[in-house]
Amino acid sequence: MKTTHSITTLPDSPEQDRAHRLSRYVWQMALRVVFFIGAVLVWSIWHTWLAVIPIVLAGVIPWVAVIIANAGSRAESDIVTPAGAIQLYDAVDPRLREQQEDARAEAYRAEQDRLREEAHHAQEEWQRHGDRSKVWGRR
């Protein structure tokens, strides 16, 4: 059954999606800078091992940011097929696919037989009339 989508339910365009993902990535990298600055401040003020926590968080953020940025913002329900999309023929009738595959296989076998016959005929012609001096050399 074909579902129709109104203009209000369509997902963002690829450009808008890319801009949104870039914005999210930039904010996460800004948060990373804040963690680095926080680590420096914690170390310079209190000289404690707690400065390691913001450094670890700043080290993990790039990996998380890349995964989130590459994931995109599209859900499975956002995928829209264009109007007049091609439907696979085997989804309609599996027997049609079998018939087409059998016809393709038969055409392939016929072509191979024809080529084999041509090669056999060419070999017989060469054996009857071929110039063997170039192949065997002079005796």
Side-chain angles (χ1 to χ4, degrees):
M1 186 171 149
K2 196 177 213 180
T3 59
T4 58
H5 296 277
S6 69
I7 194 68
T8 57
T9 61
L10 290 176
D12 291 338
S13 70
E15 292 81 18
Q16 290 172 331
D17 184 46
R18 193 176 306 111
H20 183 257
R21 288 186 292 141
L22 179 65
S23 172
R24 238 185 331 191
Y25 182 79
V26 168
W27 278 107
Q28 290 170 351
M29 290 299 108
L31 183 63
R32 180 180 187 216
V33 170
V34 169
F35 279 133
F36 272 126
I37 293 171
V40 169
L41 290 176
V42 167
W43 181 255
S44 65
I45 294 173
W46 292 293
H47 295 291
T48 181
W49 64 272
L50 292 176
V52 172
I53 294 172
I55 289 176
V56 169
L57 289 173
V60 171
I61 285 179
W63 290 324
V64 174
V66 166
I67 290 172
I68 291 173
N70 286 337
S73 62
R74 296 189 177 196
E76 184 68 30
S77 62
D78 288 344
I79 297 174
V80 177
T81 57
I86 298 173
Q87 290 184 350
L88 298 176
Y89 55 84
D90 62 340
V92 177
D93 187 9
R95 291 174 298 201
L96 179 62
R97 179 178 182 178
E98 290 173 7
Q99 290 171 352
Q100 289 178 344
E101 286 178 356
D102 290 343
R104 240 183 266 121
E106 182 61 36
Y108 175 77
R109 281 192 292 273
E111 178 69 13
Q112 292 300 312
D113 289 342
R114 185 187 65 77
L115 292 172
R116 194 175 300 111
E117 286 297 319
E118 282 181 12
H120 184 67
H121 179 69
Q123 183 180 10
E124 287 177 349
E125 284 295 315
W126 181 81
Q127 286 176 349
R128 269 189 253 128
H129 307 291
D131 181 16
R132 293 194 177 103
S133 63
K134 294 179 184 171
V135 176
W136 299 104
R138 296 190 185 252
R139 291 187 184 188

